[in-house]
Amino acid sequence: MKTPAEIRAIHDLPFPELLFRAATVHRAHWEPTAIQFCTLDSIKTGACPEDCAYCPQSAKYNTGLKVEPMKEVGAVLAGAAAAKALGSTRYCMGAAWREVKDDRNFEAVLEMVRGVAGLGMEVCVTLGMLDVDQALRLKQAGCKVYNHNIDSSPDFYETIISTRRFEDRLRTIDAVRRAGLEVCCGGIVGMGESVEHRIHFLQELTEMDPAPESIPINHLVPVPGTPLADLPPVPPLEFIRMIATARILFPASRIRLSAGRTAMSDEMQALAFFAGANSIFTGDRLLTTPNPGEDRDLGLLKALGMRVEGVPVPA
Ligand code: SAM
Ligand code: DTB
Ligand code: SF4
């Protein structure tokens, strides 16, 4: 655990000092030239009853999103196999649910988990709130990780979501831990929060013991129709400060440069990798919004002399 003042002191270091420290921590724990490729699959899209102000999938906002019923298991497994062929080692299935219910749809998710695990990929799911029994069933099916973000600081959270409490997020994360699943928990930068809110968001993560094994740092993707549609992007150097600070606070966790990469330059992404980000979402789509796509990402890694983690370097 760290105090907000301690975290702020790291965050506000002179930029070269901050990056040097982050890169030093990074290479002491990870191979700094390798990036993990994860692929997302939206297994149930849209019509979510929650009102998260950033989210195109909330039924409360008119974003023009095509609502889709639960995907067929076969289609999901075909998607996972295709992602694996392109170098992805982790497959994350997301559903626009408020919470998991013990119904046919959850049975279908368990079947998807068994299938993707059978392909030899790391399986991650993000399904909203759940209890320990449901988390245990996921674990028994071969799921490795559950993604459930705290998204921001507790006080800022109240201004972006009214349909659930910050404590509900913590309760689900606790259930995930009790079931022995790994925790993937991060947040979004660029929702109009102050630097102080960002510090408190990171501080909440430092209170988790053990720390989340993976921490996605998303840049808001502003989607027309959502209340946050018109927010300006966070200055790139401020965003890199968040990546570097997260790396220093969580040396052994994966830091994932998550949503928002289509609007980032190659230089900005290169800085994020130098500052300790070591995982990205690949493919043309995140859940519902565009993502750079395999060709651009492979091109970027090539230009940087970096490689995809877990994939042999071509001769
Ligand atoms: N419904 C589940 C939940 O809320 O946990 C799982 C899916 S939800 C889409 C997963 C995460 O996506 C959110 O916690 C948020 O961090 C991220 N997200 C959603 N919309 C986003 C946006 N427009 N920009 C950046 N991240 C976003
Ligand atoms: C996370 O932190 N980011 C991913 C994943 N976890 C599930 C989702 C990003 C979604 C971006 C908006 C969209 O594509 O709908
Ligand atoms: Fe629903 Fe998750 Fe989107 Fe919130 S973030 S509206 S819970 S899909």
Side-chain angles (χ1 to χ4, degrees), residues 54-57 95-97 126-128 147-149 151 164 169 187-188 218-221 223 259 287:
Y54 48 78
C55 189
Q57 303 205 64
W97 289 337
T126 181
L127 312 169
N147 166 248
H148 202 67
N149 294 338
D151 278 317
R164 51 165 204 265
R169 297 304 266 186
I188 309 179
N218 296 277
H219 186 294
L220 176 76
V221 179
V223 179
L287 289 173

Side-chain angles (χ1 to χ4, degrees), residues 70-94:
M70 189 82 184
K71 265 194 185 169
E72 298 291 333
V73 176
V76 172
L77 298 189
K84 183 181 175 187
L86 289 167
S88 212
T89 48
R90 173 156 162 156
Y91 205 64
C92 180
M93 295 170 275

Side-chain angles (χ1 to χ4, degrees), residues 69-288:
M70 189 82 184
K71 265 194 185 169
E72 298 291 333
V73 176
V76 172
L77 298 189
K84 183 181 175 187
L86 289 167
S88 212
T89 48
R90 173 156 162 156
Y91 205 64
C92 180
M93 295 170 275
W97 289 337
R98 170 178 163 76
E99 72 230 313
V100 173
K101 301 201 177 89
D102 293 309
D103 59 8
R104 278 178 39 226
N105 287 334
F106 187 45
E107 297 295 334
V109 172
L110 294 171
E111 214 178 314
M112 292 169 191
V113 168
R114 281 189 282 270
V116 178
L119 293 172
M121 299 178 89
E122 267 184 37
V123 185
C124 173
V125 292
T126 181
L127 312 169
M129 293 186 265
L130 49 50
D131 61 29
V132 183
D133 279 351
Q134 292 163 334
L136 273 170
R137 292 178 72 193
L138 284 168
K139 166 108 181 153
Q140 279 154 8
C143 183
K144 185 171 183 206
V145 192
Y146 197 82
N147 166 248
H148 202 67
N149 294 338
I150 57 168
D151 278 317
S152 194
S153 69
D155 55 338
F156 192 74
Y157 193 83
E158 286 176 12
T159 70
I160 47 168
I161 301 159
S162 77
T163 49
R164 51 165 204 265
R165 309 290 311 273
F166 192 80
E167 292 72 41
D168 296 326
R169 297 304 266 186
L170 298 182
R171 199 169 329 109
T172 293
I173 293 162
D174 189 53
V176 168
R177 266 283 170 240
R178 280 166 193 265
L181 288 166
E182 285 186 11
V183 170
C184 172
C185 181
I188 309 179
V189 180
M191 299 189 288
E193 75 287 343
S194 65
V195 171
E196 213 42 45
H197 288 131
R198 291 178 202 152
I199 300 298
H200 279 98
F201 151 68
L202 290 172
Q203 203 255 335
E204 279 291 330
L205 294 177
T206 70
E207 283 189 13
M208 295 179 187
D209 186 17
E213 282 77 6
S214 115
I215 302 181
I217 304 289
N218 296 277
H219 186 294
L220 176 76
V221 179
V223 179
T226 62
L228 306 185
D230 298 321
L231 285 180
V234 171
L237 296 181
E238 275 189 35
F239 186 83
I240 300 297
R241 281 190 181 277
M242 282 297 284
I243 298 276
T245 309
R247 169 49 71 217
I248 293 167
L249 294 175
F250 303 100
S253 303
R254 257 189 202 290
I255 306 294
R256 184 166 304 110
L257 177 61
S258 305
R261 289 193 307 113
T262 44
M264 294 178 196
S265 67
D266 285 359
E267 293 82 355
M268 180 171 170
Q269 295 185 64
L271 263 183
F273 297 151
F274 183 67
N278 61 351
S279 176
I280 56 175
F281 287 121
T282 53
D284 294 340
R285 214 136 264 287
L286 290 159
L287 289 173
T288 67

